[in-house]
Amino acid sequence: MEIQEFGTVRQFPVGLSMETRMHSCQRLNQILADTQILYSLYKKHHWLMRGPTFYQLHLLLDKHAEEQLELVDKLAERVQTLGGVAVGDPRHVAEITVIKRPPDGVEEVPAMLSRLLEAHEMILVAAHDAAATADEKGDDGTNDLLVSDIIRTGELQAWFLAEHLVDTPLIHA
Ligand SMILES: [Fe+2]
């Protein structure tokens, strides 16, 4: 038996209205689902990576995965802090996420990296928008989490990925 349904918020004395907390939880759960998928995509591509820069990318993608996993926890705990219910089960996550499912097999290296960059951009666009709304509604904690953690980390990781897609020869003849 459920004692609190997904999509609801309970009363918490944190100085924010029910409506504001409801709205923040909905936006945070979307970003939480997408971040859980981004984390899994990082692990998938950490394992499937290949090519002359395999080792470097293998390590980089794992580092990003670990950082994303920390963000997953922060997002989920923010939802709980606001009285909501964080999306947890991966099958529930799959229903909510807007990030496209990749092929089950292996793609070309640039395609795999572009896939990660696209996922980052979707999360970043959503985070910017949700941060602005949270700010308008006075939910400073959510705004801070989105700006200081989700956006800052996402932008930095996107930069590190994007540099691998620049057309620079590995070896100068
Ligand atoms: Fe590993």
Side-chain angles (χ1 to χ4, degrees):
M1 199 195 81
E2 292 186 342
I3 57 166
Q4 185 185 354
E5 268 180 58
F6 181 77
T8 65
V9 288
R10 56 189 167 139
Q11 207 51 258
F12 263 166
V14 289
L16 293 168
S17 74
M18 198 88 165
E19 190 272 329
T20 295
R21 290 184 296 113
M22 188 81 174
H23 184 269
S24 289
C25 285
Q26 196 264 324
R27 302 300 302 265
L28 287 165
N29 262 326
Q30 180 64 54
I31 295 169
L32 172 57
D34 294 335
T35 302
Q36 282 178 268
I37 293 296
L38 178 59
Y39 163 75
S40 299
L41 284 180
Y42 264 121
K43 286 308 264 194
K44 172 181 164 75
H45 294 108
H46 159 71
W47 299 322
L48 271 45
M49 196 41 64
R50 42 179 80 179
T53 55
F54 164 79
Y55 190 55
Q56 184 187 337
L57 281 167
H58 177 70
L59 296 181
L60 179 71
L61 301 192
D62 209 27
K63 177 179 183 282
H64 285 194
E66 274 171 34
E67 290 166 1
Q68 288 298 324
L69 193 56
E70 279 176 33
L71 297 182
V72 165
D73 202 51
K74 285 188 178 180
L75 286 162
E77 289 177 1
R78 182 71 198 160
V79 172
Q80 296 305 130
T81 301
L82 293 171
V85 180
V87 53
D89 189 283
R91 290 155 296 190
H92 188 195
V93 168
E95 287 171 11
I96 292 175
T97 187
V98 290
I99 295 170
K100 252 189 358 202
R101 180 176 172 161
D104 293 336
V106 187
E107 294 176 285
E108 298 276 2
V109 173
M112 294 196 278
L113 296 178
S114 300
R115 189 173 285 287
L116 292 165
L117 266 177
E118 273 168 38
H120 268 298
E121 191 162 29
M122 293 191 80
I123 291 171
L124 283 168
V125 168
H128 279 293
D129 190 67
T133 318
D135 185 43
E136 273 166 36
K137 291 178 181 289
D139 187 350
D140 300 316
T142 295
N143 171 272
D144 179 50
L145 171 65
L146 291 170
V147 174
S148 306
D149 296 296
I150 306 304
I151 293 173
R152 295 266 192 194
T153 307
E155 287 176 341
L156 197 70
Q157 292 190 352
W159 169 40
F160 273 70
L161 282 182
E163 284 300 334
H164 291 88
L165 292 168
V166 174
D167 195 11
T168 306
L170 285 172
I171 300 160
H172 293 279

